[in-house]
Amino acid sequence: MLNSCKVAIARIFSDLIKADRIIDTGEMKYWRTACVKYEIDRDVRIKAKEISFANAVNTICRSSVHNLKESFLEDCRSMTVSDGFCSHSEALLMVSLTSLLKPDMNFRSEVISIPKSNFNIDTATALYIENKYDPETNRAILNNHRLIFKEFQLAGFHFVYIPKIIDHYKNTDPRLFKEILSFIAPSMSDSGLDHTHRSLLKMTTGIFCKDLLCNKCGITDLRDTVPSVLIKISNSEVGETLYANYLKIYVDQDITTTVRSFIDRFSEMLRGDIFVISTSEERNNQFHFNGFYKQLLEIFLVRRNIRSAVHIDPYKENIFFPDIDSKASGLHRREKALYALLLCQGSKGINFNAPKSADEFEKYKRRMRRIQQRYAAIYEMFGGNRDGAPDLSVPEIRRPIFSCLKRSIKSLQALYNPEDYNITKGADGSFSVHVEPEAVFVNQLDKDTPVPLMESEMYEKWASL
């Protein structure tokens, strides 16, 4: 047997023994037997502390050793009932192992482990996730939500479906909701509260997975997830870091059958544990601030790793990032106008490099005159004199403007991948800003709300020159 398999087996046995937070003589007896059977020595035990539960399970799944999965799974069952019963916490790990190591399961699943500091919900929480909206599965959940919720609840699980939470937020008085948000995040500005309120009401399961779990919490394993139920099964230490372990069960429009199958298999493993079933639900003008509900609001309000829109207000001379409630600071209108110009230019950007040939140089001068005209028109919108706009063709004038703008955008550490919002230089020497046009908006005097960049007066002026 490969040493990696021995390490994986030691890791899984360790998590099973510690699952109910009681280590008894029966478990130690099985542990000694397992150490002899699987040749687990001191070095293996030390290495086992450095790998995650998911890593260990995946190692066993990939093993080609004959009958290893079946034999190991049976040893895990024996260990969990060595003290006379299988606890709720042990059954969570066992149903996960069974779903991956036993070939006759009628649903597909996987185990993932992530640092607990990134994302942590209560054990036995069952969270529906998807990277994009799946109409058939969501229709099935909505039609059978009470049934699914109760199936999970009676086995000690709490089923969480994001659209139901958002419906509750939508039915809450907006003034009360904003007051609660302000209470939780007192440093947030009024405009930030308004934007957060609007964003929460527009949140979908896909947005939650991509923007919050993947971008903000860094759980890249879920970036391309298909419809699934993510179930928190345990916590465990990997080295000096505490990890949270999850079972991810793939679901489709037949989700009720999958849930029943999982619950039946889980219930079969319980021998005599007592667990508390929570029956509390959010009601009108009430918000739970515990468990997943608390985590949802907190990670939504924490200004970190956020993919923000960009709002340009030339008349107030502001460049605002509403999703992080921050403005680009330390900038004169010359830098702000340059940033707006680069956003209008899009992916093609601006290349200031002069060609060597005379023919190409004439084309270059015509192109630079056009760039300067566009820059001057935007500069004027920011309150400057069109004829007094800095000459971008002069390196000694252009470079300080670029440097100041880069420093300001770089300081916005709450942005997810801030380099996407900053000026970058391509292989051909072109300068550009890689923000999608649909994420850029412009404030106009004749409109109450910002309009998309490509529908704005600013873009029309840029395009006409």
Side-chain angles (χ1 to χ4, degrees), residues 178 182 186-198 325:
K178 291 177 189 176
S182 179
S187 63
M188 188 173 290
S189 68
D190 289 341
S191 61
L193 288 172
D194 288 338
H195 181 78
T196 298
H197 180 239
R198 290 194 301 270
D325 196 22

